[in-house]
Amino acid sequence: MSDYFPDIVVVDILSRLPVKSLIRFGCVSKYWFSLISSHYFNTEHQNRTLSNTTKDSPYLLFSHYDLKIEKVRFALLSSDDPFPLKHFSKHLDSKLKLGVSDGGPIPDPPIRRILMKQAKKRGFFAYPSDFVELPSPYQSPMNKLFIAGSCNGLVCLADVAPSGDHVVLLILWNPSIRKAISLPPSPVVNVPVFYKAVDHLGFGYDPITDDYKLVRLVYLQGGFSHNEYEGDPPIVQIYTLRTGAWRTIPGRGSRFIIVQRFSLMFVNGSVHWFAEDDNDSDDDDDDVDAMVRNMIISFDIKDEVFHEMAVPKCLEGRLNLNTKVAVLGGLLALVPCNSNLYLSDPCYSVWVMKEYGVVESWTKLYDIKVGEDLESVVGFTKNGEVLVSMAGKLLSFNPSSQRTLNVHIHSEYVSFYLDTYMESLVLLNVEDGVLRKQANSPSTSKGRGEHEEKGKIRLGSVLSKQEKGNPKASNLQKKGCSNVLQISSNTLAPNREEKHALDDEFANDGVPIHLDSDGCNTPNMDSVPQTVNDTNIENQIQHAKKRPIQDTSGKGKKVAKKEDRISEVTTIKEYTAMTTERFHARRGKASSSFEHFAQSVGGGDPYSLSKAIDVLNQYEYLDNYSYVKVTKVLQQKEDRLVFMGMPEHRRKAWMEEIAHPKE
Amino acid sequence: MKFCTVKQYFDDENNNNVTNGIATTVIPLPNKHLKIKANNKEMEQYEQELLRNVMPQELTKLILAANYLNFKEALDFFCRTVANAIQNKSVDYVRKFFGLESDFEPGEEEKLCKEFAWSFEGVDED
């Protein structure tokens, strides 16, 4: 405690500093560390940041799956001008000037044009300026890490199963302080036979308890046709950062069905999703149009209550519009972006709800005229442009000038994410998902070693030397972003503990049984031959009984998980052909049907050729010619990954394509 | 309203929080403020000039004076200056500046520094 300075002055001074300096100054004294980690200080700091930058976030958080490097990239962009026009020419000019030794004029336009073309092909992120790359806190084995939501500088990441249905691991990450924690596993949900669980996430902040909450809605999908829903509204589970634990709330969620994954928006204290009312549970397709009603579901984070909000009349009854909820200028927005023109007429527009909660205030701002085959709307920039993806390319559309610009970033459209971001100190005093008590903060560093393993992802201090005079930093600074993070552009490898755990799992044969989501023990269905092998099953069920369920649900595990071989429940026909007997036998023996969201590692390579062939063998209807063709393709590991990860109907289409390629 | 404390100051003679030298620097500020209220740039220049003549250690006294006098603009200005000055400095510099001592246990500080090693990059030399 300083004799000279009253606390209020110290707080005043410190709250003006960027996060990097604050983290460093936490080492000044115990008192300063606890002050900087305190919630009070975090609020002061954030308030000052917001008031400095004209009440708007200084940054945009951007993420996409970069096909070239086959990794997910996270980056901070300037919110004023995230993709500056001069991005490529800046580098080109400096490069060309270097080539010309006498510092003379830039060479001929034709050469420049060619070089520019090449540069654009390499992509926006090949040139290190105008963005700050954030090292990913976690290496997902599937390399697909999605941002579920971000709020006050805290980002929620989700590692998703290859089937795309449910989350395998959840992480809370504060990029400013480079700290991340993984969430413990969520409560187990009983999934009846023939069903699978599909989950949707929501993430937001509760100002009353000053807490961050993650909400998980679990829908049961399946039945005889894989499109049918069980009919009951979803189970609702909530995780709060302060308690570090999950709980299931009594009652159920709204009966409306959320359509898109990772299209949630936190605004006005509630998480919003776009959903449909699937009242009609028959397979009667003729009447589907008449029965569908679109709605916005909102979940109030502090009251933990669901509400429903109507959408504009003209969007209400239309199916398949691929609509997402968004936030534009602090207002709730809707962006229908119909990507499948066979199912519905083109509709690409931006609507905002000028007065929150007032249905009549829905106003269409503009149509997005970029062309057809728009895949999705990614986000908005401060200068009024909207970013959209088309054929894997990111485009920027300016509604007033009606001009479209190619940003030169390529990806799978489903992986683009763009939202506002601000620096914060959240998570600084969090250990293992539970907040540390203030008094203990620095002294628990002794005990920290013990906590190292449990559910926490440690960010190593592996940094590249290239950070001195970081050009990205200085560029962003010039743009007026005062709080720039100096960050390495290398993504971090899994640390030693994780690696050992991974090796152990592979070596261990009796490792947690992977339980198929249809609730019964289907250990490695592919490797089990067609005839029933009772002893095998017997053994494996014994294992299941011995192991506590918590082990297998593995949300907190940092280990790579391999998805179940048969990712989607198959039709009745296939079941009877293959598994009925085994199924009945096992049902009698298994203690009860449990559902698990993580799929554990079996012995050996789950994507081996032999396993793939086993999967292929179930398709008895295949003629020899097709069979041979598919096996040839399956020689490649990537194709095997795809083949085994795909849902049933997709797999058939894929095989069809291989056997009889369309000209 | 800005000057109620000042009034007290003049009334109360046993005052050693604010030396005369400091008072002469701080008190003219509001007048200047009012004069060039609209023009931020001029104000900045004036402030820069003021600071050129002031040593960092004196700055602390200025801050305390401004705080005591409950003078918001000056306090804001001085704090901003200090923040800019210390932003990129090392932990030791900051300790000296604020007259603080480390109260960590021997191993603790090291552990913290290790954990947040990335924040120590690019720091100015003392």
Side-chain angles (χ1 to χ4, degrees):
Chain A
M1 178 96 142
S2 163
D3 288 319
Y4 298 151
F5 287 91
D7 277 359
I8 197 162
V9 173
V10 173
V11 168
D12 189 313
I13 297 173
L14 292 182
S15 64
R16 297 163 193 269
L17 294 174
V19 169
K20 182 182 168 193
S21 309
L22 286 172
I23 296 289
R24 187 168 65 246
F25 296 156
C27 299
V28 164
S29 74
K30 274 190 187 177
Y31 177 67
W32 271 38
F33 185 86
S34 63
L35 175 68
I36 291 173
S37 321
S38 72
H39 163 68
Y40 161 71
F41 182 75
N42 186 26
T43 321
E44 290 290 307
H45 183 259
Q46 289 201 333
N47 287 343
R48 194 177 284 281
T49 316
L50 288 175
S51 63
N52 277 348
T53 54
T54 60
K55 300 251 192 298
D56 247 335
S57 324
Y59 297 111
L60 289 174
L61 175 64
F62 178 77
S63 134
H64 78 126
Y65 179 75
D66 192 331
L67 294 164
K68 288 199 184 111
I69 58 174
E70 291 186 353
K71 278 209 172 87
V72 177
R73 173 186 280 113
F74 300 101
L76 287 183
L77 303 166
S78 148
S79 59
D80 284 314
D81 191 10
F83 302 107
L85 286 168
K86 295 232 155 117
H87 178 76
F88 292 101
S89 44
K90 233 187 320 204
H91 286 275
L92 214 60
D93 291 343
S94 62
K95 247 188 170 166
L96 291 172
K97 282 202 181 110
L98 284 175
V100 181
S101 49
D102 54 274
I106 300 165
D108 326 343
I111 299 180
R112 199 165 183 281
R113 258 203 298 274
I114 294 171
L115 289 173
M116 182 67 101
K117 221 178 169 187
Q118 282 178 346
K120 289 184 177 172
K121 234 184 167 181
R122 293 184 63 193
F124 182 88
F125 289 108
Y127 300 97
S129 71
D130 306 309
F131 70 92
V132 176
E133 182 149 355
L134 302 173
S136 170
Y138 174 70
Q139 286 296 343
S140 151
M142 286 292 142
N143 263 326
K144 300 279 183 88
L145 209 55
F146 291 95
I147 297 184
S150 104
C151 183
N152 294 351
L154 189 58
V155 180
C156 178
L157 297 172
D159 190 8
V160 170
S163 64
D165 294 329
H166 54 259
V167 169
V168 161
L169 181 67
L170 284 166
I171 296 168
L172 286 180
W173 177 39
N174 182 342
S176 330
I177 64 172
R178 305 197 190 183
K179 188 160 174 177
I181 58 168
S182 63
L183 267 49
S186 59
V188 169
V189 170
N190 277 345
V191 177
V193 179
F194 297 123
Y195 284 86
K196 68 175 178 194
V198 174
D199 63 13
H200 289 276
L201 296 173
F203 181 63
Y205 174 70
D206 177 355
I208 306 284
T209 56
D210 173 45
D211 200 0
Y212 292 89
K213 291 186 189 170
L214 202 86
V215 59
R216 179 167 178 250
L217 306 175
V218 185
Y219 291 88
L220 295 171
Q221 186 188 36
F224 291 100
S225 122
H226 56 74
N227 271 329
E228 182 190 305
Y229 283 91
E230 192 204 27
D232 281 352
I235 295 169
V236 184
Q237 301 173 333
I238 298 182
Y239 170 89
T240 47
L241 185 58
R242 280 190 181 273
T243 61
W246 288 92
R247 58 191 152 90
T248 306
I249 68 172
R252 299 267 189 138
S254 159
R255 69 165 204 282
F256 290 86
I257 295 159
I258 298 171
V259 181
Q260 278 203 41
R261 307 229 0 120
F262 302 117
S263 58
L264 58 113
M265 269 302 154
F266 179 68
V267 70
N268 277 0
S270 299
V271 185
H272 300 77
W273 299 273
F274 187 80
E276 341 185 294
D277 180 4
D278 200 16
N279 245 334
D280 184 14
S281 56
D282 300 329
D283 286 8
D284 189 357
D285 288 285
D286 296 336
D287 284 348
V288 157
D289 261 9
M291 299 298 285
V292 156
R293 198 159 61 103
N294 295 323
M295 254 329 189
I296 292 180
I297 312 176
S298 73
F299 179 72
D300 187 323
I301 286 283
K302 61 182 192 310
D303 300 328
E304 298 183 0
V305 170
F306 283 93
H307 297 284
E308 284 150 15
M309 240 189 323
V311 300
K313 277 264 162 358
C314 64
L315 296 179
E316 207 176 23
R318 292 178 65 182
L319 253 193
N320 295 313
L321 282 183
N322 192 26
T323 312
K324 285 202 310 195
V325 207
V327 176
L328 178 52
L331 300 172
L332 185 65
L334 269 185
V335 283
C337 186
N338 173 25
S339 48
N340 189 338
L341 297 172
Y342 292 111
L343 295 176
S344 190
D345 290 331
C347 177
Y348 315 118
S349 51
V350 176
W351 294 73
V352 287
M353 190 177 230
K354 295 216 155 144
E355 256 187 80
Y356 185 76
V358 177
V359 180
E360 293 76 24
S361 70
W362 277 114
T363 323
K364 177 158 144 177
L365 286 185
Y366 52 83
D367 281 311
I368 303 174
K369 297 207 179 96
V370 170
E372 307 216 322
D373 295 340
L374 266 199
E375 289 159 338
S376 78
V377 173
V378 174
F380 300 97
T381 68
K382 244 198 219 173
N383 49 8
E385 288 168 3
V386 56
L387 289 160
V388 296
S389 79
M390 182 155 101
K393 287 186 289 197
L394 192 65
L395 304 171
S396 161
F397 175 73
N398 187 325
S400 34
S401 69
Q402 301 270 303
R403 281 181 63 209
T404 310
L405 287 172
N406 188 345
V407 173
H408 302 287
I409 296 177
H410 293 254
S411 188
E412 301 169 355
Y413 81 92
V414 96
S415 71
F416 280 124
Y417 174 91
L418 185 77
D419 199 5
T420 53
Y421 176 79
M422 58 190 273
E423 278 194 335
S424 91
L425 294 162
V426 184
L427 276 200
L428 186 54
N429 54 359
V430 170
E431 194 78 54
D432 299 334
V434 180
L435 290 177
R436 270 187 283 184
K437 298 205 177 96
Q438 285 299 330
N440 289 340
S441 17
S443 51
T444 53
S445 57
K446 283 190 188 149
R448 211 180 283 162
E450 306 157 11
H451 293 302
E452 222 127 334
E453 293 294 329
K454 293 189 214 157
K456 185 168 178 192
I457 295 174
R458 302 294 305 208
L459 301 177
S461 43
V462 175
L463 294 166
S464 78
K465 299 281 177 200
Q466 64 209 29
E467 282 187 323
K468 277 241 152 111
N470 190 341
K472 320 170 195 167
S474 49
N475 267 318
L476 267 187
Q477 241 153 6
K478 282 181 199 145
K479 298 228 175 257
C481 297
S482 49
N483 300 338
V484 172
L485 314 169
Q486 296 256 345
I487 298 168
S488 150
S489 55
N490 299 328
T491 43
L492 296 162
N495 63 24
R496 303 231 80 217
E497 288 98 15
E498 289 170 59
K499 263 212 173 124
H500 284 314
L502 207 88
D503 292 339
D504 282 342
E505 288 260 335
F506 268 102
N508 226 337
D509 221 5
V511 132
I513 299 302
H514 96 249
L515 292 172
D516 207 341
S517 51
D518 63 6
C520 59
N521 260 343
T522 49
N524 268 335
M525 257 206 298
D526 336 295
S527 59
V528 177
Q530 299 264 350
T531 54
V532 175
N533 187 343
D534 275 312
T535 43
N536 227 352
I537 296 159
E538 190 83 31
N539 289 337
Q540 295 184 317
I541 291 169
Q542 292 303 326
H543 279 294
K545 281 192 182 151
K546 282 186 194 154
R547 287 197 176 269
I549 296 303
Q550 288 319 67
D551 248 355
T552 53
S553 52
K555 271 246 169 76
K557 282 205 168 142
K558 304 171 275 185
V559 179
K561 291 169 192 44
K562 301 296 192 292
E563 171 61 324
D564 49 330
R565 293 344 137 259
I566 304 201
S567 48
E568 188 121 312
V569 173
T570 54
T571 60
I572 266 291
K573 193 170 134 204
E574 312 226 5
Y575 252 97
T576 34
M578 263 174 41
T579 64
T580 319
E581 287 175 56
R582 261 186 287 162
F583 170 72
H584 283 305
R586 264 183 253 128
R587 265 193 99 193
K589 288 176 180 168
S591 42
S592 57
S593 38
F594 286 103
E595 182 279 339
H596 292 276
F597 289 99
Q599 285 66 39
S600 56
V601 177
D605 175 18
Y607 295 99
S608 67
L609 184 52
S610 55
K611 296 211 169 102
I613 297 292
D614 287 326
V615 174
L616 179 59
N617 287 340
Q618 15 163 336
Y619 300 102
E620 293 176 5
Y621 63 83
L622 269 186
D623 62 290
N624 287 338
Y625 174 74
S626 312
Y627 187 86
V628 169
K629 266 213 145 168
V630 172
T631 49
K632 285 212 172 113
V633 171
L634 289 180
Q635 303 283 343
Q636 299 303 316
K637 172 121 191 193
E638 295 84 51
D639 289 309
R640 289 205 293 275
L641 272 165
V642 163
F643 176 73
M644 288 159 83
M646 281 194 279
E648 193 54 43
H649 54 294
R650 301 277 187 211
R651 198 183 289 144
K652 289 185 193 160
W654 186 80
M655 293 195 293
E656 186 63 38
E657 172 66 34
I658 291 174
H660 307 110
K662 297 191 187 114
E663 291 308 311
Chain B
M1 359 119 237
K2 281 185 194 159
F3 291 102
C4 49
T5 325
V6 179
K7 186 167 180 294
Q8 279 179 0
Y9 165 74
F10 283 118
D11 291 342
D12 177 10
E13 290 181 348
N14 289 334
N15 191 322
N16 54 4
N17 276 346
V18 184
T19 64
N20 281 328
I22 303 298
T24 50
T25 322
V26 173
I27 288 174
L29 274 178
N31 281 331
K32 255 300 185 155
H33 265 280
L34 291 171
K35 281 186 193 162
I36 36 179
K37 210 167 36 164
N39 195 337
N40 275 329
K41 273 225 153 164
E42 265 196 57
M43 197 60 217
E44 272 176 37
Q45 281 174 354
Y46 177 78
E47 288 169 352
Q48 292 305 325
E49 262 199 58
L50 209 64
L51 282 180
R52 225 171 292 155
N53 304 327
V54 172
M55 293 292 295
Q57 298 309 321
E58 280 214 10
L59 202 52
T60 62
K61 293 195 191 141
L62 280 173
I63 291 180
L64 291 170
N67 185 43
Y68 179 74
L69 294 172
N70 215 2
F71 188 1
K72 281 213 160 60
E73 273 89 355
L75 192 60
D76 186 61
F77 164 58
F78 291 134
C79 288
R80 206 183 331 135
T81 320
V82 172
N84 285 335
I86 64 170
Q87 182 171 319
N88 232 12
K89 294 284 191 285
S90 70
V91 174
D92 278 328
Y93 185 97
V94 169
R95 281 205 191 113
K96 275 191 220 133
F97 188 92
F98 287 89
L100 297 169
E101 273 176 19
S102 166
D103 53 353
F104 285 114
E105 314 282 324
E108 278 180 352
E109 189 183 336
E110 234 185 69
K111 273 203 167 166
L112 269 183
C113 293
K114 236 178 145 192
E115 184 176 350
F116 297 114
W118 54 270
S119 67
F120 287 83
E121 312 235 332
V123 169
D124 295 345
E125 301 288 323
D126 278 345

